[in-house]
């Protein structure tokens, strides 16, 4: 299949890995930001391809994983109301809150529905005028444009029963938080190709310059990733720090201007809490005041929920690349995909789920 098979060609991947062996001398850590990239790295066993002096560490780019317990509790609280239909993506149903998850709420008769697009939630609102329909919006810059579109559509249709519970996060402020954390040692970054497709590369140029770190826009197939690593290693060996686009079949420097305009039209930046990490300044989105009537947090009473983080879950350290899933005492024992303790074991992009799927035998 075009754009897939050629990026999984083992011989070409091996040739690039041999080139990395030739240029690599320093002991360095390179972080892949996106959980999709983490899964490829585990699936294709990249450790075999790379010299021992290069460590790959996994970043916070799994939207389900970084959604904090506090907002999942709010979604569960909304779902418990008889007048609410709680709508979200399938990934979110099994993410544990302080008590239970949305799937349990559904099993207990609450109206929780799974959709593939926020516009489906708008349709549910139109079809059910007697109900309040809340879309639990998670994700990074990739999902923000369609979430914004849903609010514009609801306004156009004069719906007064559609709300957004907004947990949209922004990647660059999280990268800055990692760079400012003295416990995190990163010399190169593989930026998430799909986020760059929407936002372009300009924000990353500022970070590369500020922290003297190469940032490579990288796709998700094995050849994308090994090429991204080659570029990062080459720059580090030569003490360079540039933003380079190795995903040019999807990413341009400007990004998708139409999608960026939608985000700017509907959302403002705000401080957001990240699971296990804490509040990162200006790292998320909230609805602008002019869209007040669509903001679930402003139209429902959601205060007073006692938040309980799962005990023995080190998701925060894993999401910052300070530890790996195998370092967690719960991994594969009391925490597994059937009974996840934390979000990184639930999401198809979660690092713990990736290690469980591809590495559990070696634990
Ligand atoms: S293995 Fe489970 S308990 Fe441990 S960090 Fe991952 S999600 Fe949390």
């Amino acid at each position: 299949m075009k754009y897939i098979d050629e990026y999984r060609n083992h011989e070409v991947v091996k040739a690039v890995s041999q080139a990395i062996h030739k240029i690599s001398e320093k002991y360095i850590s390179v972080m892949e930001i996106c959980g999709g990239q983490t899964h490829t790295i585990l699936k294709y066993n990249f450790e075999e391809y790379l010299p021992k002096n290069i460590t790959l560490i996994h970043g916070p780019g799994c939207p389900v994983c970084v959604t904090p317990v506090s907002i999942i509790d709010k979604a569960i609280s909304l779902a418990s109301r008889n007048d609410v239909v709680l709508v979200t993506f399938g990934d979110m149903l099994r993410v544990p809150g302080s008590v239970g998850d949305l799937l349990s709420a559904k099993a207990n008769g609450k109206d929780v529905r799974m959709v593939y697009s926020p516009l489906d939630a708008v349709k549910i609102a139109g079809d059910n005028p007697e109900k309040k329909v809340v879309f639990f919006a998670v994700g990074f810059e990739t999902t923000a444009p369609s979430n914004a579109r849903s609010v514009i559509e609801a306004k156009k249709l004069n719906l007064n029963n559609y709300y957004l519970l907004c947990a949209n996060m922004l990647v660059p402020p999280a990268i800055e938080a990692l760079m400012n954390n003295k416990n995190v040692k990163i010399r190169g970054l593989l930026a998430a190709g799909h986020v760059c497709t929407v936002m372009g590369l300009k924000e990353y140029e500022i970070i590369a310059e500020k922290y003297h770190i190469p940032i490579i826009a990288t796709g998700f197939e094995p050849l994308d990733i090994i090429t991204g690593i080659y570029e990062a290693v080459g720059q580090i060996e030569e003490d360079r720090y540039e933003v380079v686009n190795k995903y040019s079949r999807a990413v341009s420097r400007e990004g998708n201007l139409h999608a960026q305009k939608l985000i700017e039209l509907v959302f403002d930046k705000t401080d957001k809490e990240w699971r296990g990490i804490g509040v990162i300044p200006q790292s998320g989105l909230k609805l602008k005041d002019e869209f007040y009537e669509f903001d679930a947090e402003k139209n429902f009473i959601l205060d007073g929920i006692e938040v309980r983080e799962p005990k023995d879950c080190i998701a925060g350290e894993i999401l910052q690349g300070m530890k790996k899933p195998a370092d967690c005492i719960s991994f594969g024992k009391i925490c597994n995909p059937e009974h996840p303790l934390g979000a990184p074991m639930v999401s198809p992009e979660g690092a713990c789920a990736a290690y469980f799927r591809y590495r559990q035998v070696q634990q």
Side-chain angles (χ1 to χ4, degrees):
M1 192 187 296
K2 190 151 175 59
Y3 296 127
I4 299 233
D5 291 343
E6 61 267 51
Y7 291 93
R8 294 181 182 171
N9 184 316
H10 177 72
E11 290 309 313
V12 183
V13 172
K14 217 166 124 191
V16 181
S17 90
Q18 283 162 358
I20 293 174
H21 278 265
K22 279 191 190 141
I23 61 168
S24 174
E25 290 180 357
K26 297 177 181 169
Y27 280 79
I28 54 164
S29 294
V30 175
M31 174 181 273
E32 84 281 357
I33 297 289
C34 176
Q37 294 166 333
T38 304
H39 273 252
T40 301
I41 285 165
L42 271 289
K43 181 175 178 184
Y44 291 92
N45 200 11
F46 264 60
E47 277 176 14
E48 271 189 10
Y49 288 114
L50 296 175
K52 297 285 174 246
N53 52 314
I54 298 176
T55 305
L56 296 180
I57 50 181
H58 317 309
C62 157
V64 173
C65 305
V66 298
T67 303
V69 174
S70 58
I71 198 145
I72 290 162
D73 287 349
K74 287 178 182 175
I76 294 170
S77 166
L78 284 165
S80 71
R81 293 174 54 127
N82 290 331
D83 59 343
V84 164
V85 182
L86 195 289
V87 185
T88 192
F89 297 132
D91 288 4
M92 292 310 296
L93 296 185
R94 295 190 61 235
V95 181
S98 296
V99 182
D101 54 30
L102 286 168
L103 195 61
S104 311
K106 188 175 172 63
N108 289 329
K110 302 305 174 192
D111 199 344
V112 177
R113 304 189 196 181
M114 188 193 93
V115 291
Y116 293 103
S117 157
L119 287 177
D120 296 337
V122 175
K123 182 164 186 332
I124 293 170
D127 292 345
N128 297 273
E130 75 291 357
K131 293 279 191 179
K132 297 172 187 221
V133 176
V134 180
F135 182 65
F136 183 17
V138 298
F140 295 117
E141 292 91 331
T142 39
T143 57
S146 54
N147 293 335
R149 187 89 195 82
S150 78
V151 172
I152 293 167
E153 189 66 15
K155 197 172 176 91
K156 206 167 84 188
L157 295 170
N158 284 322
L159 295 181
N160 59 6
N161 66 331
Y162 179 71
Y163 306 89
L164 215 61
L165 179 62
C166 187
N168 264 122
M169 310 294 209
L170 301 171
V171 172
I175 294 178
E176 289 223 41
L178 289 176
M179 297 310 299
N180 289 329
N181 183 339
K182 292 196 174 17
N183 295 318
V184 180
K185 314 264 181 236
I186 313 166
R187 293 292 309 277
L189 280 167
L190 306 185
H194 47 8
V195 173
C196 297
T197 302
V198 175
M199 300 306 291
L201 301 174
K202 292 179 186 173
E203 298 170 296
Y204 298 95
E205 290 167 0
I206 296 165
I207 295 173
E209 183 64 35
K210 185 171 171 185
Y211 295 98
H212 293 191
I213 186 165
I215 303 180
I216 320 302
T218 306
F220 305 92
E221 297 298 336
L223 186 56
D224 290 319
I225 291 172
I226 201 84
T227 309
I229 295 169
Y230 177 76
E231 175 64 35
V233 171
Q235 287 198 34
I236 295 164
E237 292 293 340
E238 293 170 10
D239 289 323
R240 288 186 293 119
Y241 44 87
E242 293 160 21
V243 173
V244 171
N245 182 6
K246 288 291 178 188
Y247 196 38
S248 57
R249 64 191 187 277
V251 172
S252 67
R253 182 167 182 262
E254 285 69 31
N256 183 330
L257 297 178
H258 176 66
Q260 290 169 28
K261 215 168 172 178
L262 275 176
I263 297 172
E264 278 164 27
L265 194 67
V266 172
F267 294 114
D268 282 329
K269 289 183 182 173
T270 187
D271 299 349
K272 278 274 184 203
E273 182 191 354
W274 292 55
R275 179 184 283 253
I277 299 174
V279 175
I280 302 177
Q282 300 295 287
S283 67
L285 298 174
K286 65 173 183 182
L287 284 168
K288 282 183 185 289
D289 289 345
E290 64 207 78
F291 296 104
Y292 176 96
E293 71 266 35
F294 300 102
D295 192 332
E297 297 206 66
K298 293 192 173 143
N299 288 277
F300 295 90
I301 296 166
L302 293 169
D303 297 333
I305 304 169
E306 193 191 333
V307 176
R308 274 182 268 155
E309 296 283 344
K311 258 179 67 189
D312 298 329
C313 174
I314 58 165
E317 288 159 278
I318 289 171
L319 291 166
Q320 294 173 88
M322 294 190 290
K323 292 208 168 143
K324 294 207 170 175
D327 299 322
C328 175
I329 54 165
S330 308
F331 178 83
K333 298 182 181 104
I334 58 170
C335 181
N336 56 57
E338 286 291 302
H339 300 285
L341 272 191
M345 189 58 95
V346 180
S347 168
E349 293 189 33
C352 300
Y355 273 75
F356 189 90
R357 183 163 181 194
Y358 300 115
R359 290 289 171 80
Q360 204 207 1
V361 188
Q362 297 170 23
Q363 299 306 311

